[in-house]
Amino acid sequence: MKETVFSGVKPTSVPHIGNYIGALQQWVKLQQDYNCYYCIVDDHAITVPQNPKQLREQTHAIAATYLAVGIDPKKSVLFLQSDVAQHTELAWLLMTITKMGELSRMTQFKDKSQKTGSQSAGVGLYAYPVLMAADILLYDATKVPVGEDQMQHIELTRLLARRFNERFGQTFDVPQPMIQKVGARIMSLKDPKKKMSKSDESKSGTLFLTDSDDDIRKKIMRAVTDSTAGISYDPENKPAVSNLIGIYHHMSGIEIADIEKEFSDKGYGDFKSSLADVVIHHLTPIREKILYYLNNKQELNEILDQGFHKAYPVAEKKIRFVKDQMGLGR
Ligand code: ATP
Ligand code: LTN
């Protein structure tokens, strides 16, 4: 019996190279050995305000990206979260065993509520990690491939699974995160202290998978570097260049030590120009496939339909069991 993997991306914009390296690239490899559920988590996207028309476009963009990077709908279940209402139903059930203090500690909530202040932040944004726990536990997933920023949410999922099992009897498997060593956290090209993010207001620090070759080259050539010269991997002291080396490694498959050797006597200009070549070479076919699917929405929607038909019965069976364990129903 294969173990189950679950992961998701929010349709808050077109995905960027951080999503690709930190998450999607890993997902593709996992399809061989695991039973994989890859979800477009639109219920999560609405925890911050979204324009309805844009949200639907972004949902298609994420679905197109999943397919373009190599997620195979014959091997994996590729589906839309809001199609399967059991996600939000289980989130409610889990909320009844979640403590306010546990959610107040979440750093993503602290970051995202900074703009408005916590008193004005939405309850959905606050409760969001419980919905994420529901996503994972609904399919008995044991492995969750994510970037490092999601570690705290996975810890909460583990805690809730254990707490539920203690109160109501064995119901959930306790999942484990899968985080890779390099690239788990790709930083902004403009500020190596900030993670690259879809919702960053400055678009010049984020390499989107649909950026043109020209944009990619411009953004890389203008990326900030460190105050000391030299191309070496040292995230502590040279965060900007180390971030670029990490991207180079994931785009080319070349080991970090070999990249350092190749550029040991070269300057930032040469290195960045070569990095732009490598990124463009890797991303061009992906961008073309994304655009193909965006121009063939019917094909895209049929694939999401097939995913729904595979995910729904699993989710429905699990939620019945969970409700039964809690004494809900007649
Ligand atoms: P938003 O800016 O809307 O919060 P995001 O860019 O952080 O979005 P998500 O949809 O939250 O992207 O994340 C999708 C996946 O990509 C998650 O597994 C997350 O851990 C990973 N990820 C996001 N940003 C990075 C990054 N900068 N480096 C590595 N992985 C990342
Ligand atoms: N919270 C995640 C996205 C997400 C997810 C999930 C990831 C929602 N549900 C379940 C893994 C498993 C994020 O912000 N990146």
Side-chain angles (χ1 to χ4, degrees):
M1 267 275 282
K2 283 184 180 174
E3 276 185 76
T4 298
V5 157
F6 187 101
S7 202
V9 177
K10 287 176 289 189
T12 41
S13 150
V14 174
H16 52 77
I17 203 167
N19 301 135
Y20 179 55
I21 294 174
L24 299 171
Q25 229 179 2
Q26 257 194 96
W27 297 9
V28 174
K29 293 188 203 131
L30 295 172
Q31 297 183 106
Q32 303 309 328
D33 301 319
Y34 295 89
N35 182 18
C36 299
Y37 288 83
Y38 294 132
C39 188
I40 301 149
V41 285
D42 55 347
D43 288 323
H44 282 270
I46 57 170
T47 54
V48 294
Q50 299 293 336
N51 168 308
K53 188 164 168 273
Q54 254 171 18
L55 178 62
R56 193 157 290 125
E57 278 164 17
Q58 286 158 193
T59 295
H60 283 128
I62 303 287
T65 305
Y66 281 4
L67 294 164
V69 300
I71 306 243
D72 179 351
K74 290 198 194 71
K75 289 188 195 143
S76 302
V77 183
L78 193 170
F79 73 108
L80 184 58
Q81 185 183 28
S82 65
D83 278 345
V84 183
Q86 285 79 358
H87 288 248
T88 44
E89 188 174 5
L90 181 58
W92 173 254
L93 303 179
L94 293 175
M95 261 184 251
T96 64
I97 64 159
T98 309
K99 300 176 187 174
M100 304 268 287
E102 286 161 351
L103 295 180
S104 311
R105 275 202 294 279
M106 296 290 128
T107 54
Q108 192 168 24
F109 174 72
K110 287 189 203 159
D111 287 351
K112 298 216 169 199
S113 59
Q114 230 168 25
K115 264 194 223 151
T116 55
S118 66
Q119 289 306 306
S120 304
V123 175
L125 185 65
Y126 184 67
Y128 152 112
V130 185
L131 180 58
M132 176 160 165
D135 298 340
I136 299 166
L137 300 179
L138 200 49
Y139 299 94
D140 290 315
T142 48
K143 294 280 175 355
V144 188
V146 283
E148 218 170 55
D149 60 317
Q150 297 303 312
M151 198 55 200
Q152 218 187 6
H153 295 159
I154 311 276
E155 280 306 329
L156 180 78
T157 306
R158 291 165 56 82
L159 181 85
L160 294 180
R162 284 201 215 95
R163 184 176 296 155
F164 192 101
N165 290 344
E166 269 163 31
R167 288 207 193 155
F168 301 108
Q170 180 58 38
T171 307
F172 295 121
D173 287 335
V174 179
Q176 284 176 333
M178 276 178 135
I179 295 182
Q180 54 193 347
K181 283 192 216 93
V182 178
R185 202 173 172 80
I186 299 293
M187 309 312 278
S188 158
L189 300 183
K190 284 290 168 201
D191 179 358
K193 289 189 288 302
K194 253 178 36 192
K195 85 164 186 140
M196 190 180 280
S197 145
K198 287 195 239 95
S199 41
D200 196 338
E201 272 147 28
S202 143
K203 302 290 169 216
S204 54
T206 305
L207 283 175
F208 292 100
L209 297 187
T210 48
D211 278 347
S212 67
D213 292 356
D214 246 17
D215 283 342
I216 294 176
R217 193 169 294 280
K218 269 190 210 137
K219 286 183 184 178
I220 291 178
M221 295 314 287
R222 289 177 195 162
V224 299
T225 44
D226 304 297
S227 48
T228 51
I231 314 296
S232 57
Y233 189 78
D234 177 359
E236 272 290 297
N237 301 308
K238 291 173 75 68
V241 168
S242 302
N243 186 40
L244 298 180
I245 295 178
I247 296 176
Y248 200 113
H249 164 67
H250 283 279
M251 290 292 99
S252 65
I254 301 175
E255 291 306 327
I256 298 213
D258 294 329
I259 299 170
E260 288 177 317
K261 236 183 266 162
E262 177 164 354
F263 292 98
S264 61
D265 56 353
K266 302 211 172 74
Y268 285 144
D270 284 342
F271 172 64
K272 283 178 170 179
S273 166
S274 175
L275 174 63
D277 291 342
V278 164
V279 172
I280 289 168
H281 179 76
H282 194 109
L283 293 190
T284 300
I286 294 179
R287 179 179 62 221
E288 280 166 5
K289 283 187 201 139
I290 295 177
L291 296 177
Y292 166 82
Y293 283 110
L294 289 180
N295 287 321
N296 290 276
K297 294 251 173 77
Q298 198 182 341
E299 193 177 333
L300 202 57
N301 283 330
E302 276 165 20
I303 292 171
L304 290 176
D305 242 8
Q306 289 164 17
F308 162 71
H309 286 292
K310 289 186 203 157
Y312 182 84
V314 179
E316 175 55 19
K317 186 167 170 218
K318 188 74 189 184
I319 201 91
R320 272 175 200 272
F321 179 57
V322 175
K323 285 163 77 174
D324 191 50
Q325 292 284 76
M326 294 179 89
L328 290 167
R330 283 170 280 127

